[in-house]
Amino acid sequence: AFPQVQKPIAFSTSPFASYTHWKQTVFYLQEPLTVCAGEEIRGKITCRPNSKNPRDLDIIIDVDFKGRYMAQTTTQEYRLR
């Protein structure tokens, strides 16, 4: 939401809200994580314009997880067009 403007503006990407050109994006991991209640997934998401097409986004997701049943440290790269 943008409450500082004269007429507040808000939008939602909820599937139950009115349609907008804004979208939700899902990033699937190559290997699934088995996570128990109370465990924490740590990571970092880096997003920058693609060098050849600045309308595309290069996204890097770093995951660091150490859980009861498994551990995984990985980096995955995506391009959002």
Side-chain angles (χ1 to χ4, degrees):
F2 303 94
Q4 289 79 19
V5 296
Q6 189 171 358
K7 181 181 176 191
I9 301 168
F11 60 89
S12 172
T13 58
S14 165
F16 306 108
S18 298
Y19 177 81
T20 71
H21 70 282
W22 294 91
K23 305 289 184 216
Q24 293 180 348
T25 302
V26 176
F27 296 99
Y28 292 101
L29 299 175
Q30 288 179 342
E31 297 295 326
L33 296 175
T34 302
V35 182
C36 296
E39 292 181 337
E40 187 175 279
I41 303 169
R42 293 185 172 267
K44 178 173 80 168
I45 298 175
T46 306
C47 180
R48 65 178 58 103
N50 178 269
S51 60
K52 293 181 182 173
N53 183 351
R55 293 180 61 110
D56 292 349
L57 296 175
D58 292 333
I59 300 167
I60 300 171
I61 299 179
D62 297 308
V63 176
D64 184 22
F65 175 69
K66 293 174 182 64
R68 180 180 193 182
Y69 295 110
M70 68 172 303
Q72 185 179 78
T73 300
T74 187
T75 297
Q76 289 187 213
E77 297 183 20
Y78 306 86
R79 178 174 296 161
L80 189 61
R81 296 182 173 173

